[in-house]
């Protein structure tokens, strides 16, 4: 698990939804634990695409249930 | 059934809340400023009534709201706290917030993003931020209003029309309490260019604070402003049952249309006069009862005269003290009728009418008793005041307020 990607994602989630950076941990679910609604999730994805130069298709977004899922996806996509 | 006003909120070019805005008006202080941003450099009009204070919202809340939504959310919180933050069944609570244009800054900024960065970079919050019912929805959500959320759109009469719709929600039995108001955040080069193209705006770039001068012979157009005003309307029964403080009553509303021209007022002011008569009829008040008029008075050459003709047409040879508070706030478009309702209610409470700033040489065609220089006193006892609002499209709205005592 890339700490750098996790840290970067935490900053994005904080910026978009105001969730404290330290609460953005790999086991946390975006919707159920962090209270990210569907519109804010789109924003998180857009910001991640910009930051890491990756494309996250809508068909993949529904599989990114937890922060860890997103970190893993971005890590693979940038590898 | 009487409609009580139990809470007031506002954010305007002269103050970040009701108390500071009202104090500024009584002192005759202008909120019109030069726009120093680079985007204004090529415009024919480079000044406006910008908010005296930025809306105090946290960063995450603010980034999901258009500026028009930010302002009215802040004003609604102030009004609700002012009403005593009552516990109200959501099913008995409504919201009516009017706007002239809606989230125009969001719309235009998003179009810039679309052109520069493509469709994939458009924020998912774009539509909720630009839709004209967005401000009403944001306020309704914040206060859990489930009886109904409405968003009248009638250009510069929107905020006043909201009061009429809100009162009807209560008299129709749909709600006990309605948060009603108007909001506008129109200051953008496109809107300024558009209104300037109509030759509707003052071009007094060298002296912005003197540019909005209703009834003065040297007036040359209105000055655009931004802001929001909110009133908590409540059935008298509900207000009294909870021991609420009652500022005044919204006693009548008259809504008509000119059926004359898309942007020009009827020079004989017939539609406006009918609106005033209808408001007084509903209020069961006579022309002689009216001691104060917060006029629409935008400072346009034709509009001010048409309204003066209408006021005299409806009230006759009246001694009512007329004021044009847009002389200090500028014209907040869809917020104007709501903010000026707040000012009308405060005039009834304090028995003081703010002066019309910049009135030096009164146009002889305006045969009205216009407040100038210093605040004017209103009589004791039960009194009635009017607030007029008119909008492009020929919308005429007059509201009649009755003092609490």
């Amino acid at each position: 698990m890339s700490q750098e990607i996790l840290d970067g994602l935490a900053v994005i989630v904080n910026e978009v939804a105001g969730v404290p950076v330290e609460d953005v941990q790999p086991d946390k679910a975006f919707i159920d634990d962090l209270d990210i609604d569907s519109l804010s999730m789109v924003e998180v994805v857009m910001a991640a695409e910009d930051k890491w130069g990756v494309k996250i298709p809508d068909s993949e977004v529904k599989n990114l249930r937890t922060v860890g899922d997103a970190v893993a996806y971005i890590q693979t996509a940038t590898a | 059934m009487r409609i009580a006003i139990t809470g007031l909120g506002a954010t305007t070019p002269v103050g970040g809340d009701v108390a500071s805005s009202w104090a500024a008006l009584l002192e005759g202080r202008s909120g019109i400023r030069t726009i120093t941003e680079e985007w204004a450099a090529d415009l024919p009009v480079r000044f406006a009534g910008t908010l005296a204070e930025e809306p105090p919202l946290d960063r995450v809340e603010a980034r999901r709201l258009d500026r028009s939504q930010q302002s009215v959310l802040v004003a609604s919180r102030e009004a609700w706290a002012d009403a005593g933050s009552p516990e109200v069944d959501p099913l008995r609570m409504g919201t009516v917030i009017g706007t002239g244009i809606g989230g125009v800054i969001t719309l235009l900024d998003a179009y810039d993003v679309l052109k520069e960065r493509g469709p994939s970079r458009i924020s998912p919050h774009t539509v909720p931020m630009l839709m004209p019912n967005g401000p009403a929805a944001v306020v309704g959500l914040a206060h859990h209003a489930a009886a109904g959320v409405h968003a009248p759109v009638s250009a510069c009469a929107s905020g006043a029309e909201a009061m009429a719709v809100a009162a009807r929600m209560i008299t129709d039995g749909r709600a006990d309490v309605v948060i009603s108001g108007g909001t506008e955040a129109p200051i953008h080069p496109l809107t300024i260019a558009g209104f300037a193209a109509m030759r509707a705006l003052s071009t007094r770039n060298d002296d912005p604070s003197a540019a909005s001068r209703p009834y003065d012979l040297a007036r040359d157009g209105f000055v655009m402003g931004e802001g929001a005003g909110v009133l908590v309307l409540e059935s008298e029964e509900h207000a009294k049952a909870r021991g609420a403080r009652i500022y005044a009553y919204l006693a009548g509303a008259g809504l008509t249309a000119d059926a004359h021209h898309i942007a020009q007022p009827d020079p004989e002011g017939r539609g406006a006069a009918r609106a005033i008569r209808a408001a007084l009829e509903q209020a069961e008040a006579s022309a002689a009862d009216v001691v104060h008029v917060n006029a629409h008075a935008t400072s346009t050459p034709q509009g001010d005269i048409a309204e003066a003709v209408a006021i005299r047409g409806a009230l006759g040879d009246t001694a009512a003290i007329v004021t044009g508070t847009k002389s200090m706030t500028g014209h907040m478009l869809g917020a104007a009728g709501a903010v000026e309702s707040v000012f009308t209610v405060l005039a009834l409470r304090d028995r003081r009418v703010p002066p019309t700033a910049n009135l030096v040489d009164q146009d002889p065609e305006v045969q009205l008793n216009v407040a100038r220089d210093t605040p004017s006193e209103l009589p004791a006892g039960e009194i009635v005041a009017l607030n007029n609002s008119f909008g492009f499209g020929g919308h005429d709205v007059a509201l009649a307020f009755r003092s609490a005592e």
Side-chain angles (χ1 to χ4, degrees):
Chain A
M1 172 88 37
S2 161
Q3 188 64 42
E4 194 185 333
I5 293 175
L6 177 62
D7 292 346
L9 202 55
V11 169
I12 288 171
V13 170
N14 174 263
E15 177 73 24
V16 166
V19 176
V21 171
E22 59 273 20
D23 290 356
V24 183
Q25 296 299 328
D27 61 327
K28 292 287 172 60
F30 286 106
I31 294 170
D32 295 337
D33 297 326
L34 302 181
D35 204 24
I36 306 284
D37 68 14
S38 62
L39 298 186
S40 295
M41 191 64 196
V42 175
E43 279 196 290
V44 169
V45 167
M46 285 170 63
E49 287 180 335
D50 279 349
K51 182 171 176 61
W52 287 289
V54 298
K55 182 83 192 99
I56 310 177
D58 287 351
S59 56
E60 281 298 333
V61 173
K62 64 177 186 297
N63 299 325
L64 306 180
R65 197 181 66 82
T66 66
V67 173
D69 295 340
V71 173
Y73 185 89
I74 294 163
Q75 199 166 355
T76 305
T78 52
Chain B
M1 181 191 289
R2 297 219 290 177
I3 307 296
I5 295 156
T6 57
L8 304 176
T11 181
T12 74
V14 293
D17 59 13
V18 169
S20 58
S21 296
W22 185 236
L25 292 191
L26 291 173
E27 289 167 19
R29 209 160 64 223
S30 171
I32 311 303
R33 302 169 187 89
T34 297
I35 302 170
T36 52
E37 280 87 345
E38 198 181 332
W39 57 255
D42 294 334
L43 292 171
V45 175
R46 297 180 295 279
F47 56 95
T50 52
L51 288 179
E53 287 179 28
E54 285 300 301
L57 295 171
D58 77 54
R59 181 180 53 79
V60 172
E61 198 168 40
R63 67 194 298 279
R64 295 174 188 182
L65 300 174
D66 180 76
R67 190 169 174 83
S68 63
Q69 300 170 348
Q70 295 174 9
S71 297
V72 79
L73 181 59
V74 167
S76 77
R77 287 175 175 161
E78 182 190 4
W80 194 245
D82 189 43
S85 304
E87 289 287 328
V88 181
D89 176 0
L91 297 176
R92 299 298 301 161
M93 169 111 161
T95 295
V96 186
I97 305 292
T99 176
I101 324 181
V104 65
I105 295 175
T106 293
L107 175 64
L108 294 167
D109 287 352
Y111 189 54
D112 288 342
V113 172
L114 181 74
K115 286 183 295 182
E116 289 160 17
R117 304 186 61 205
S120 68
R121 298 297 97 185
I122 294 296
S123 163
H125 299 294
T126 303
V127 170
M129 287 170 70
L130 71 81
M131 58 193 197
N133 59 315
V138 165
V139 171
L141 278 168
H143 299 278
H144 312 291
V149 172
H150 304 283
V153 173
S154 49
C156 304
S158 304
E161 191 169 330
M163 299 302 140
V165 173
R168 278 298 294 268
M169 284 189 81
I170 296 172
T171 56
D172 284 352
R174 295 176 55 209
D176 297 319
V177 182
V178 182
I179 298 176
S180 59
T183 188
E184 206 76 67
I187 298 171
H188 183 283
L190 186 99
T191 49
I192 293 175
F195 281 110
M198 299 175 84
R199 306 297 186 264
L201 298 180
S202 168
T203 56
R204 198 180 286 260
N205 288 300
D206 58 347
D207 194 4
S209 67
S212 186
R213 43 196 317 121
Y215 304 131
D216 187 82
L217 273 174
R219 70 191 184 280
D220 70 329
F222 78 80
V223 177
M224 196 184 285
E226 60 177 354
V230 172
L231 292 83
V232 177
L233 304 188
E234 193 165 347
S235 75
E236 182 179 31
E237 187 184 7
H238 190 275
K240 288 195 165 162
R242 70 178 184 89
R245 176 238 2 244
I246 296 174
Y247 279 101
Y249 294 93
L250 175 53
L255 297 89
T256 63
D258 277 0
H260 172 74
H261 186 274
I262 191 70
Q264 304 289 337
D266 173 356
E268 294 179 41
R270 287 169 291 201
R274 280 188 289 122
I276 293 171
R277 284 191 210 102
L280 290 178
E281 186 177 340
Q282 194 176 63
E284 296 178 1
S286 72
D289 293 335
V290 178
V291 297
H292 167 46
V293 182
N294 187 308
H296 191 57
T298 62
S299 180
T300 61
Q302 291 180 33
D304 287 7
I305 293 174
E307 183 181 16
V309 169
I311 291 171
R312 289 184 63 86
L315 302 184
D317 190 17
T318 178
I321 299 167
V322 178
T323 192
T325 48
K326 289 184 182 78
S327 58
M328 293 167 275
T329 62
H331 189 353
M332 294 170 276
L333 310 182
V339 172
E340 289 155 19
S341 287
V342 170
F343 296 155
T344 308
V345 166
L346 291 172
L348 287 175
R349 183 196 66 175
D350 292 353
R351 311 279 161 159
R352 296 181 88 192
V353 175
T356 307
N358 302 317
L359 177 53
V360 179
D361 294 315
Q362 186 168 331
D363 189 326
E365 291 193 58
V366 175
Q367 293 172 21
L368 296 171
N369 179 20
V370 181
R372 58 201 290 178
D373 303 327
T374 56
S376 304
E377 304 296 321
L378 293 177
E382 194 173 300
I383 52 176
V384 173
L386 292 172
N387 174 26
N388 290 340
S389 298
F390 314 119
F392 282 163
H395 310 275
D396 302 304
V397 181
L399 302 172
F401 296 92
R402 193 181 283 281
S403 61
E405 289 151 22

